[in-house]
Amino acid sequence: MITGATSGIGLACARKFAANGDKLILTGRNEQRLAEIKKELVGTEVLTLAFDVRDREKAKSCIANLPAAWQSIDVLVNNAGLALGLEPEFEGDLDDWETMIDTNIKGLLTMTRLVVPGMVERNSGHIINVGSVAGDAAYAGGNVYCATKAAVKALSDGLRIDVANTAIRVTNLKPGLVETNFSNIRFHGDSDRAANVYKGIQPLMGDDIADVAVYAANAPAHVQIAEVLILATHQASGSVIVRK
């Protein structure tokens, strides 16, 4: 199951796991886009679920009503997330903050709470949370977004402790600069401003992160890839980027 599968890292994960021969449950808010992706991914079984991870009741209903053949979820990729705004904390938009917290933290928790009990019952499973280098240290204007990704790290670490007596594995992926629609969303559709984020550097692509997710999911059963920081070559941290 991959949340936020209609674009960016989520879509790249869908394609990579499909190429690996895995059955896919893809979630996202855009039902039409999910249908298009399902048509694209020929050669593998795909079930699509259109809901927003912020909508707890809809998420509960979708998981509770999964067809019998789809109920045993082996891998949960908690990818749905976003950044909004780049203002100083004392000038930030309260609605933007609420959306980030509800999606990046509470949405991830909702999906974890709904899916992981089945993994515990089966003593098998893998949770892959898409965090960020932003969760390691704040950068200018990142404030609340950085805080949400720091929470993803803490929640990943806490879950790993909670399931240590089982065969379940927990991975936190921490990408740096990845060229997706991430910046376009952050700047509320300002494409020019978004394009500047990637100028002068060859950023990561969604496929680069998906490669790591597939590797972690297919590591030997006794190997737990707990945390991976993935940066572009000319990026040293969330705030140190050398542009040419």
Side-chain angles (χ1 to χ4, degrees), residues 59-74:
K60 287 171 66 175
S61 176
C62 285
I63 300 302
N65 291 291
L66 282 171
W70 294 87
Q71 290 178 3
S72 296
I73 297 170
D74 302 298

Side-chain angles (χ1 to χ4, degrees), residues 19-180:
N20 195 55
D22 297 309
K23 293 171 59 178
L24 301 176
I25 303 174
L26 305 180
T27 86
R29 293 175 296 172
N30 188 325
E31 188 169 5
Q32 181 179 343
R33 184 70 184 118
L34 286 168
E36 292 169 354
I37 294 166
K38 182 176 181 177
K39 286 183 180 179
E40 173 197 331
L41 299 176
V42 294
T44 192
E45 295 182 63
V46 178
L47 176 68
T48 60
L49 301 173
F51 67 91
D52 189 325
V53 294
R54 295 178 295 170
D55 187 340
R56 185 183 302 168
E57 293 307 312
K58 184 65 179 293
K60 287 171 66 175
S61 176
C62 285
I63 300 302
N65 291 291
L66 282 171
W70 294 87
Q71 290 178 3
S72 296
I73 297 170
D74 302 298
V75 179
L76 170 64
V77 181
N78 274 318
N79 165 75
L82 76 168
L84 291 170
L86 201 63
E87 295 81 21
E89 193 168 321
F90 57 87
E91 296 178 353
D93 185 288
L94 292 170
D95 290 335
D96 283 353
W97 292 355
E98 188 169 343
T99 299
M100 286 188 282
I101 291 167
D102 286 353
T103 306
N104 300 358
I105 302 176
K106 293 164 69 176
L108 178 145
L109 280 170
T110 293
M111 297 309 299
T112 299
R113 182 64 181 85
L114 293 174
V115 173
V116 174
M119 294 181 176
V120 173
E121 184 178 341
R122 296 186 300 274
N123 193 36
S124 176
H126 194 158
I127 302 93
I128 299 175
N129 291 331
V130 179
S132 172
V133 63
D136 288 345
Y139 55 77
N143 44 76
V144 174
Y145 173 71
C146 294
T148 66
K149 290 304 183 177
V152 171
K153 173 176 170 51
L155 293 170
S156 300
D157 292 346
L159 180 60
R160 196 177 301 111
I161 293 166
D162 292 338
V163 298
N165 64 326
T166 75
I168 297 168
R169 302 182 293 186
V170 181
T171 299
N172 180 23
L173 300 183
K174 304 190 300 184
L177 200 62
V178 184
E179 187 168 6
T180 63

